[in-house]
Amino acid sequence: MAAEPESVERILEEHLPADKLEIVNRILYGSSSRVLALPAECAALGEKGNFEVKGHQIAAGCEQLRSPRLVRIGLIQNQIVLPTTAPVKEQRDAIHKRIAEIAEAAGKARVNVLCMQETFAMPFAFCTREKTPWSEFAESAEDGPSVQLCQEFAKRYNMVVICPILERDEVHFGTIHNAAVVISNTGKVLGKSRKNHIPRVGDFNESTYYMEGNTGHRVFETQFGRIAINICYGRHHPLNWLLYGLHGAEIVFNPSATVGALSEPMWGIEARNAAIAQTYFTAAINRVGTESFPNEFTSGDGKKAHNAFGHFYGSSYVAAPDGSRTPGLSRTRDGLLVTEVDLNLVRQVKDKWCFQMTGRYEMYAEELAKVVGPDFKPNIIKETE
Amino acid sequence: MAAEPESVERILEEHLPADKLEIVNRILYGSSSRVLALPAECAALGEKGNFEVKGHQIAAGCEQLRSPRLVRIGLIQNQIVLPTTAPVKEQRDAIHKRIAEIAEAAGKARVNVLCMQETFAMPFAFCTREKTPWSEFAESAEDGPSVQLCQEFAKRYNMVVICPILERDEVHFGTIHNAAVVISNTGKVLGKSRKNHIPRVGDFNESTYYMEGNTGHRVFETQFGRIAINICYGRHHPLNWLLYGLHGAEIVFNPSATVGALSEPMWGIEARNAAIAQTYFTAAINRVGTESFPNEFTSGDGKKAHNAFGHFYGSSYVAAPDGSRTPGLSRTRDGLLVTEVDLNLVRQVKDKWCFQMTGRYEMYAEELAKVVGPDFKPNIIKETE
């Protein structure tokens, strides 16, 4: 099998003359994303630890009455470290250690809000439909080991940290959820946001483990902006993105785990469309590499039972409400993407494009109520004789 | 000023080695779009008439109980022909003549459903905020001259034709609307669908001329599938796309008029995201060229008053529910894009990705009703002491 290409951006940079590259980047990526110089220590840590470090910034206009509200968003994408056959605690500890290395670079880069990928501290074992040992990775959203790790980052580096975990809710009958815990830069747990839409596609057998989330569309007001979390498959659901926006989010994170053949042409589209349509920043994070499991599992779509998930293609990026986006991180390597944004852009673009003003939400609330009602008849016009 | 580049796709083809082009195309455009060979007469008509003709096909899987439902979608993008200072009737007649040339190629290509760009028979004069002479382009959705022209195409070529016009509704007090008339392949007018969202951005001063549409989200059941029309600025509104889907559309056309600096990085994102999220085909059409008007108009965003709209960048394309899309037509030339799709792909992708099944529309109907209610309080979580 041919090696996975590193990224579309790398191919374009290597082969297009500068003037053509400028045109292609302007049309495909928008023009407001620029390289952000990071402290030399960040690159050094990346080199030492074999992870990519990339810095970008997305500009906003000057205003007379507000100062810029610069926020540095950090996204971490990573492979698992040990094989899935290793003891659960060793697997998790090894990932924690790895994440701590990358988080250190985020600290040096003065990241304000750091987000990890979906269920970052475990393999994405839901393909297997086996309950053990994978359910043992589930942990408390108040004080589980991954939450504690992220609390350390938060305090050490003065950053808000979004910590996506497999959650065990002991209060509610010990049920499992797919959730993200938001930790303030003081180290305090602000709350959690659960995955609202659970896939039934390909190897994504997550509905065997947890149900649709019940935490609605909360938005967390932090020192570095109002943030929300739309976990993985929720990015395919425009209504999900919409509601986070209507509740006031300025940055919506999309910690994900998704594989090549299935979703890659959609990856650059969905979180970016949400940034445009809802007029906020979005940050999409995907894990990296292929994960193999001890027992074969059915393919779900006519292929032979197999042990390995497809290739998680990384490519984490940030998209802005003006239609621009950063390049993606590598398709193959662990990485840290640091993106400095000016949150003032949100209101500037709202005032310019007026999507909320022209949104006709009252009409849609009524229409949607009809659609889900028992007497719904689609409005179909046919040719009459 | 440098000449406008023809297209991103052309730049990639010219500069990337074949193996890299394949990778980039797979990631950016998906893998199910292939070149469709068209009759030689089509290319000859294009050469003679100086317009681009492009053929693509998007494949679907085989089924046991249904035959493929192959439909050829035709999209026409065009510049205006005469200067905007010419008499209204001459301007319109010249565009009609031009469209007839391109429609002939569509006929030879055995197009089943043909769609023109937004208000195709006139310049996009709404930037001016002048009522005359532009209001004179408004015409009846039952038997206006553009409708009659499209009825001729429908009968001559046995195709459904979507005819976007500036509509004069004589019954309802002579008001003007931005609408698309759907004409059956029998030549009969099936009905009209009005633009649901009216922009207030840049030079798009359309709200001076017409109000938000009142025709809802009707879907037209034709011999070649269930089709709907989301006009121009409606493509920024995910709820608009959603409702067409919930009413059963299999192809949603987006006849548009949009200019470079403002919207180009969004162009490839929005209609394509709708195809993915709503699991139908979308067809986005944009006009071409720059249009100049006799009197200067304000820029709307701090530039000097000017006579010319920005560059309408064409780039019309078709997107599929599986995340793939065709290349775009040229950014600079009139053109016809013929795309053969298998409508069976719609249900196949619905069964695979399950976005409707997992959509939780009941929850959103309730949430949206709360959001638009008078006592709405955003769900914001703050740090407490």
Side-chain angles (χ1 to χ4, degrees):
Chain A
M1 203 168 75
E4 285 288 343
E6 189 190 320
S7 73
V8 165
E9 292 87 347
R10 174 60 67 93
I11 293 173
L12 299 182
E13 279 166 18
E14 281 177 357
H15 293 278
L16 297 188
D19 59 332
K20 303 292 182 184
L21 182 63
E22 189 276 333
I23 293 166
V24 168
N25 277 341
R26 172 172 62 76
I27 294 176
L28 293 185
Y29 295 82
S31 52
S32 25
S33 167
R34 298 260 181 289
V35 171
L36 172 71
L38 296 175
E41 296 160 290
C42 299
L45 285 169
E47 200 152 328
K48 185 176 146 210
N50 189 26
F51 58 88
E52 184 183 17
V53 182
K54 233 175 182 165
H56 267 261
Q57 57 188 329
I58 294 174
C62 289
E63 300 183 19
Q64 296 191 28
L65 301 183
R66 296 194 302 181
S67 303
R69 291 193 296 145
L70 300 182
V71 168
R72 291 199 173 183
I73 299 167
L75 310 182
I76 294 179
Q77 67 178 34
N78 63 283
Q79 307 171 60
I80 56 172
V81 179
L82 297 181
T84 59
T85 46
V88 164
K89 185 165 187 312
E90 288 179 22
Q91 287 189 57
R92 185 174 64 207
D93 287 349
I95 295 175
H96 280 185
K97 185 162 167 283
R98 176 63 169 162
I99 294 294
E101 291 172 12
I102 308 179
E104 186 186 350
K108 302 281 186 205
R110 288 181 287 111
V111 161
N112 302 118
V113 188
L114 180 67
C115 185
M116 258 66 79
Q117 69 200 19
E118 185 181 18
T119 60
F120 77 96
M122 63 178 287
F124 211 71
F126 313 111
C127 49
T128 65
R129 290 187 292 105
E130 295 165 338
K131 298 304 173 77
T132 54
W134 320 116
S135 298
E136 291 200 54
F137 281 99
E139 54 179 287
S140 160
E142 279 80 47
D143 58 5
S146 298
V147 174
Q148 289 185 32
L149 177 80
C150 291
Q151 287 180 301
E152 282 174 37
F153 300 159
K155 285 182 280 190
R156 187 178 312 146
Y157 305 121
N158 185 35
M159 53 173 64
V160 170
V161 184
I162 299 165
C163 169
I165 57 171
L166 188 67
E167 178 202 358
R168 170 85 65 188
D169 184 350
E170 291 292 0
V171 172
H172 292 96
F173 343 116
T175 47
I176 289 177
H177 294 273
N178 185 319
V181 179
V182 180
I183 297 157
S184 163
N185 53 315
T186 63
K188 186 172 172 179
V189 170
L190 288 181
K192 67 192 169 195
S193 187
R194 287 175 175 160
K195 184 169 182 169
N196 277 327
H197 298 269
I198 311 299
R200 280 90 167 158
V201 52
D203 289 338
F204 293 82
N205 296 315
E206 296 159 65
S207 63
T208 300
Y209 298 84
Y210 40 79
M211 303 289 281
E212 283 69 15
N214 57 0
T215 51
H217 296 88
R218 17 180 101 150
V219 170
F220 298 87
E221 186 162 321
T222 75
Q223 193 182 319
F224 308 111
R226 292 194 303 273
I227 64 176
I229 305 102
N230 176 353
I231 301 178
C232 196
Y233 185 75
R235 78 180 173 280
H236 307 297
H237 291 275
L239 284 163
N240 202 28
W241 291 111
L242 170 72
L243 266 293
Y244 291 116
L246 298 182
H247 283 283
E250 295 172 303
I251 313 171
V252 180
F253 292 86
N254 177 232
S256 295
T258 183
V259 291
L262 194 64
S263 68
E264 195 163 3
M266 306 177 176
W267 178 250
I269 304 296
E270 293 164 310
R272 192 166 170 208
N273 187 75
I276 296 167
Q278 309 308 336
T279 322
Y280 49 47
F281 292 92
T282 59
I285 312 151
N286 185 24
R287 63 174 63 205
V288 184
T290 294
E291 301 174 359
S292 281
F293 297 92
N295 298 318
E296 291 185 318
F297 47 91
T298 53
S299 75
D301 54 2
K303 301 192 193 79
K304 289 220 175 298
H306 49 284
N307 294 75
F309 226 128
H311 173 67
F312 294 102
Y313 51 77
S315 307
S316 305
Y317 68 97
V318 169
D322 67 356
S324 63
R325 57 158 286 184
T326 68
L329 285 179
S330 158
R331 296 179 70 260
T332 55
R333 297 177 67 203
D334 290 5
L336 167 70
L337 176 66
V338 179
T339 309
E340 184 176 276
V341 303
D342 181 349
L343 294 181
N344 283 354
L345 187 63
V346 170
R347 199 173 81 181
Q348 290 171 14
V349 175
K350 280 189 181 177
D351 287 352
K352 176 171 188 173
W353 276 98
C354 303
F355 295 151
Q356 286 71 27
M357 181 175 99
T358 59
R360 305 186 74 182
Y361 302 125
E362 292 81 0
M363 176 180 77
Y364 289 107
E366 282 175 30
E367 287 203 34
L368 208 49
K370 280 184 211 154
V371 165
V372 300
D375 301 320
F376 174 56
K377 285 200 181 57
N379 186 351
I380 291 183
I381 296 179
K382 298 180 187 182
E383 188 156 6
T384 50
E385 295 309 307
Chain B
M1 202 167 76
E4 285 286 344
E6 190 190 320
S7 72
V8 165
E9 292 87 347
R10 175 60 68 95
I11 293 173
L12 300 183
E13 279 165 19
E14 282 176 358
H15 293 279
L16 298 187
D19 59 332
K20 303 291 182 186
L21 182 63
E22 190 276 331
I23 293 167
V24 168
N25 277 340
R26 173 173 61 77
I27 294 175
L28 293 186
Y29 295 83
S31 53
S32 25
S33 166
R34 299 261 181 288
V35 171
L36 172 71
L38 296 174
E41 297 161 288
C42 299
L45 285 169
E47 202 153 327
K48 186 177 145 209
N50 189 26
F51 58 87
E52 184 184 19
V53 182
K54 234 175 181 164
H56 266 261
Q57 57 188 329
I58 294 174
C62 290
E63 300 184 17
Q64 296 192 29
L65 301 182
R66 297 194 302 181
S67 302
R69 291 192 296 146
L70 300 182
V71 168
R72 289 198 175 185
I73 299 167
L75 310 182
I76 294 179
Q77 66 177 34
N78 63 285
Q79 307 172 60
I80 56 172
V81 179
L82 298 180
T84 59
T85 46
V88 164
K89 186 164 185 314
E90 288 179 22
Q91 286 189 59
R92 187 175 61 205
D93 287 349
I95 294 174
H96 280 186
K97 185 161 167 285
R98 176 62 169 161
I99 294 295
E101 291 172 11
I102 308 178
E104 189 187 348
K108 303 280 187 206
R110 291 181 285 112
V111 161
N112 302 118
V113 188
L114 181 67
C115 185
M116 259 66 80
Q117 69 200 20
E118 185 181 19
T119 62
F120 78 96
M122 63 177 288
F124 211 71
F126 314 110
C127 49
T128 66
R129 289 186 294 105
E130 295 166 337
K131 298 303 173 81
T132 56
W134 320 116
S135 298
E136 291 201 53
F137 281 99
E139 55 180 286
S140 159
E142 278 81 48
D143 57 4
S146 299
V147 174
Q148 289 185 32
L149 176 80
C150 290
Q151 287 180 301
E152 282 174 36
F153 300 158
K155 284 182 281 192
R156 187 178 313 146
Y157 305 122
N158 186 35
M159 53 173 64
V160 170
V161 184
I162 298 164
C163 170
I165 58 171
L166 188 66
E167 178 201 358
R168 171 84 66 190
D169 184 350
E170 291 293 0
V171 172
H172 292 97
F173 344 116
T175 46
I176 289 178
H177 293 274
N178 185 318
V181 180
V182 180
I183 297 157
S184 165
N185 52 317
T186 63
K188 186 171 170 180
V189 171
L190 288 182
K192 66 192 170 194
S193 187
R194 287 173 174 161
K195 183 168 181 168
N196 277 328
H197 298 270
I198 311 300
R200 281 88 168 159
V201 52
D203 289 338
F204 293 81
N205 296 316
E206 297 159 64
S207 64
T208 301
Y209 298 83
Y210 39 80
M211 303 289 280
E212 282 70 14
N214 56 359
T215 50
H217 296 87
R218 10 178 107 154
V219 171
F220 298 88
E221 185 160 322
T222 76
Q223 194 182 318
F224 308 111
R226 293 194 303 272
I227 64 176
I229 306 100
N230 175 354
I231 302 179
C232 197
Y233 186 74
R235 77 180 173 281
H236 307 298
H237 291 276
L239 283 163
N240 202 29
W241 291 111
L242 170 72
L243 266 292
Y244 291 116
L246 297 183
H247 283 283
E250 295 172 303
I251 313 171
V252 180
F253 292 87
N254 177 235
S256 296
T258 183
V259 290
L262 194 62
S263 68
E264 195 163 2
M266 305 177 177
W267 177 251
I269 304 296
E270 292 163 311
R272 190 164 170 211
N273 188 73
I276 296 167
Q278 308 309 335
T279 322
Y280 48 47
F281 292 93
T282 60
I285 311 151
N286 184 24
R287 62 173 63 206
V288 184
T290 294
E291 300 174 1
S292 281
F293 297 92
N295 298 317
E296 291 186 318
F297 47 91
T298 52
S299 74
D301 53 1
K303 302 192 191 79
K304 289 220 176 296
H306 50 284
N307 294 76
F309 225 127
H311 173 66
F312 293 103
Y313 51 76
S315 308
S316 305
Y317 69 98
V318 169
D322 66 356
S324 63
R325 57 159 286 184
T326 69
L329 284 179
S330 157
R331 297 179 68 260
T332 56
R333 297 177 67 205
D334 289 4
L336 167 70
L337 175 66
V338 179
T339 309
E340 184 176 276
V341 303
D342 181 350
L343 293 181
N344 283 354
L345 188 62
V346 170
R347 199 175 79 181
Q348 291 172 13
V349 175
K350 279 188 181 176
D351 287 352
K352 177 171 187 172
W353 277 98
C354 303
F355 295 151
Q356 286 70 27
M357 180 176 100
T358 59
R360 306 184 74 181
Y361 302 125
E362 293 79 1
M363 175 181 77
Y364 289 107
E366 283 175 29
E367 287 204 32
L368 209 49
K370 281 184 209 154
V371 165
V372 300
D375 300 319
F376 174 57
K377 285 200 179 61
N379 186 352
I380 291 183
I381 296 177
K382 297 180 188 182
E383 188 156 3
T384 49
E385 295 309 310

